[in-house]
Amino acid sequence: MDELRTRKYERWFRAADVDGDSAITRQDVVTMSERYVQARGIAPDSPQARQMYETMHGFWESVIAPADADKDNRVTLAEVTQAFAATFTDRAHYPEELAPVADRFFDLADGDGDGAISRTEFTHIFGSTGRAADDECAEVFNALDLDVSGSLSRAEYHKAVSEFFYGDDPGSPANHIFGRLT
């Protein structure tokens, strides 16, 4: 696997390792869910919050837990990198491998339900969960807003997620969707 994808997966891992203990656990996913709910300003016991919790539980079950090679309920960076490198090899598989999860995240980030993610919605969600500063989120958002409409359409969002996980273009703004690469 190339160095760029390794760096991207490491950045994704740092965002998902909410407590910073060098492993992603079910508790990290619960905490991430709580942060999403708080960032959206919705009641923790609302239908929207329950949808978030269900989405994140599904994310744990379908994306993160399968990477746990040693079955210790802690997914390390090495395990994530190995699993992602093995899974995300052919962009043609995006519709079944990542699109359903990306659709759920899009719907949850689209706080006002208008079918697009505004800069504010993007900053709230990706800043709170990706641990990125507001100015960094705004910069990434502007680069991902390909049609310069002031919002990310579902198509723009899918293009960015696909490029992040499958792409190898070092100049792609999608490389920074979870925060700037170091």
Side-chain angles (χ1 to χ4, degrees), residues 6-60:
T6 300
R7 287 181 31 234
K8 289 192 295 186
Y9 297 163
E10 180 180 352
R11 180 60 181 108
W12 179 91
F13 179 88
R14 285 195 330 260
D17 178 17
V18 176
D19 61 10
D21 70 349
S22 300
I24 303 170
T25 64
R26 187 178 298 274
Q27 184 57 48
D28 285 309
V29 175
V30 168
T31 302
M32 194 181 306
S33 300
E34 292 166 347
R35 286 183 180 179
Y36 268 125
V37 167
Q38 184 178 20
R40 287 275 307 278
I42 57 179
D45 58 349
S46 70
Q48 287 177 308
R50 282 194 300 280
Q51 181 185 16
M52 169 56 73
Y53 300 138
E54 289 171 15
T55 295
M56 295 303 285
H57 174 75
F59 182 62
W60 168 261

Side-chain angles (χ1 to χ4, degrees), residues 69-107:
D70 61 7
K71 306 299 180 210
D72 66 351
N73 296 314
R74 296 174 44 81
V75 180
T76 64
L77 174 59
E79 289 172 319
V80 161
T81 301
Q82 182 176 2
F84 284 10
T87 302
F88 305 131
T89 58
D90 183 352
R91 197 182 303 247
H93 295 290
Y94 175 79
E96 69 266 8
E97 290 174 343
L98 280 175
V101 173
D103 272 332
R104 293 296 296 266
F105 278 95
F106 182 93
D107 292 340

Side-chain angles (χ1 to χ4, degrees), residues 94 144 152 155-165 172-175 177:
Y94 175 79
L144 297 176
L152 295 180
E156 288 171 318
Y157 180 73
H158 276 292
K159 180 178 173 92
V161 172
S162 176
E163 178 61 29
F164 180 86
F165 285 99
S172 173
N175 295 338
I177 193 168

